[in-house]
């Protein structure tokens, strides 16, 4: 091979190598910029979801406290014959757009239940178990028993007093697909909710606004990680054009 030919090959290899290095540097820089942008976008979306969820919590607390402060409920609190009001909760729940509403005497006996009228007289031990001031709790998550099964609900508790008598007002909204469909979210974001508070993974408890989530097993590792660590975590699920970035947030 002549010297001129060898020199041309060396220059060609050097140029190709330089272009390859530049491409790698540009690709790496672009990927980092994209990842930073996606992280910032995810953080903004999670913040917006938290604000919306907290708004719902505050709205529920105000609604329950307003019911507890009403003249009608204070009258019930002061009336020793609670059997007269066993059917009070259902229409009151409908008026305030609540899925759950119970009036409970100071000893824990149910005076009226919107979600389960037949439980009149049964005891709600969790309401009188020494929690103290319910105002400190705000709205919280609770597994609620219904005639058709168990559901996860956002619940708040208010207190009505009349003289030396007390009445608890426990109201809430189910965290179901209807709840998710009413959340105001930005374009490009969807919300899934895993409703099982137990350690065992239950695919049917992962839902979105349309109902049971598609391919829930794909999110099992992320869900179990968040349940174990009790903190936010992220993961990309799927590949290619079908890939989605999920950011899991444990609710209070």
């Amino acid at each position: 091979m002549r010297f001129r030919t060898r020199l041309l090959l060396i220059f060609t290899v050097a140029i190709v190598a330089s272009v390859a290095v530049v491409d790698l540097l540009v690709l790496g820089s672009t990927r980092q910029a994209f990842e930073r942008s996606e992280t910032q976008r995810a953080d903004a979306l999670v913040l917006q979801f938290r604000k919306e969820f907290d708004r719902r919590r505050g709205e529920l607390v105000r609604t329950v406290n307003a019911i507890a402060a009403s003249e009608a409920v204070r009258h019930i609190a002061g009336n020793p014959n609670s059997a007269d009001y066993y059917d009070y909760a259902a229409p009151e729940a409908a008026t305030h757009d609540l899925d759950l509403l119970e009036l409970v005497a100071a000893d824990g006996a149910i005076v009226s239940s919107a979600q389960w009228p037949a439980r009149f007289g049964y005891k709600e031990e969790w309401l009188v178990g020494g929690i103290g001031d319910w105002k400190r709790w705000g709205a919280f998550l609770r597994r609620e028993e219904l005639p058709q099964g168990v559901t996860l609900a956002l619940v708040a508790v208010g207190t009505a007093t009349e003289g030396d008598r007390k009445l608890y007002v426990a109201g809430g909204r189910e965290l179901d697909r209807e709840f998710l469909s009413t959340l105001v979210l930005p374009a490009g974001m969807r919300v899934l909710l895993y409703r099982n508070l137990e350690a065992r993974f239950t695919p049917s408890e992962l839902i979105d606004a349309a109902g049971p989530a598609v391919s829930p097993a794909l999110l099992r590792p992320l869900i179990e990680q968040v349940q174990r660590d009790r903190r936010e975590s992220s993961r990309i699920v799927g590949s290619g054009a079908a890939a989605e970035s999920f950011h899991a947030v444990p609710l209070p």
Side-chain angles (χ1 to χ4, degrees):
M1 184 182 294
R2 293 190 304 173
F3 175 74
R4 181 182 300 174
T5 303
R6 289 202 304 271
L7 192 61
L8 179 61
L9 286 175
I10 291 172
F11 281 152
T12 302
V13 171
I15 291 172
V16 170
S18 298
V19 171
V21 169
V22 170
D23 284 346
L24 287 174
L25 290 174
V26 170
L27 181 60
S29 176
T30 302
R31 180 179 296 144
Q32 290 177 356
F34 176 76
E35 289 176 350
R36 283 197 302 270
S37 175
E38 283 297 294
T39 299
Q40 292 171 355
R41 182 171 179 270
D43 289 344
L45 294 177
V46 169
L47 179 61
Q48 183 162 344
F49 172 78
R50 283 188 179 279
K51 286 182 177 179
E52 177 66 11
F53 189 74
D54 287 343
R55 185 186 71 80
R56 293 302 184 92
R57 294 176 67 195
E59 180 185 84
L60 177 61
V61 170
R62 288 189 294 273
T63 298
V64 171
N65 284 335
I67 295 173
S70 68
E71 184 177 346
V73 171
R74 285 192 290 108
H75 177 74
I76 296 173
N79 192 329
N81 189 10
S82 58
D84 293 342
Y85 307 101
Y86 78 95
D87 59 350
Y88 179 84
E92 190 71 5
T95 298
H96 294 278
D97 193 28
L98 295 176
D99 300 312
L100 314 170
L101 182 63
E102 285 188 337
L103 307 184
V104 181
D107 63 354
I110 296 175
V111 174
S112 182
S113 175
Q115 64 270 23
W116 204 338
R119 293 193 72 203
F120 170 79
Y122 281 67
K123 294 294 184 74
E124 289 284 26
E125 300 292 350
W126 67 274
L127 272 172
V128 293
I131 290 295
D133 185 8
W134 281 105
K135 289 182 179 179
R136 294 188 299 107
W137 286 75
F140 52 92
L141 296 180
R142 175 176 163 76
R143 298 284 283 182
E144 287 281 350
E145 282 190 66
L146 301 176
Q148 63 271 25
V150 180
T151 188
L152 181 66
L154 190 63
V155 176
V157 178
T159 306
T161 56
E162 189 68 18
D164 60 350
R165 299 179 66 86
K166 178 187 293 186
L167 186 73
Y168 294 105
V169 178
R173 293 190 173 99
E174 287 188 71
L175 294 188
D176 52 15
R177 67 183 187 87
E178 283 80 11
F179 178 87
L180 295 180
S181 67
T182 61
L183 293 176
V184 180
L185 301 172
M189 181 183 185
R190 66 188 182 106
V191 174
L192 288 81
L193 177 68
Y194 183 65
R195 305 190 300 170
N196 186 14
L197 303 182
E198 306 298 329
R200 181 174 57 87
F201 180 73
T202 309
S204 61
E205 291 289 355
L206 182 64
I207 63 172
D208 58 22
V214 177
S215 303
L218 294 176
L219 288 170
R220 179 173 182 171
L222 178 60
I223 291 170
E224 291 180 339
Q225 180 181 344
V226 173
Q227 285 184 315
R228 181 177 62 251
D229 299 339
R230 296 295 178 184
R231 55 189 176 89
E232 296 181 20
S233 185
S234 300
R235 181 170 301 206
I236 294 177
V237 175
S239 59
E244 286 186 280
S245 177
F246 286 91
H247 193 96
V249 181
L251 297 178

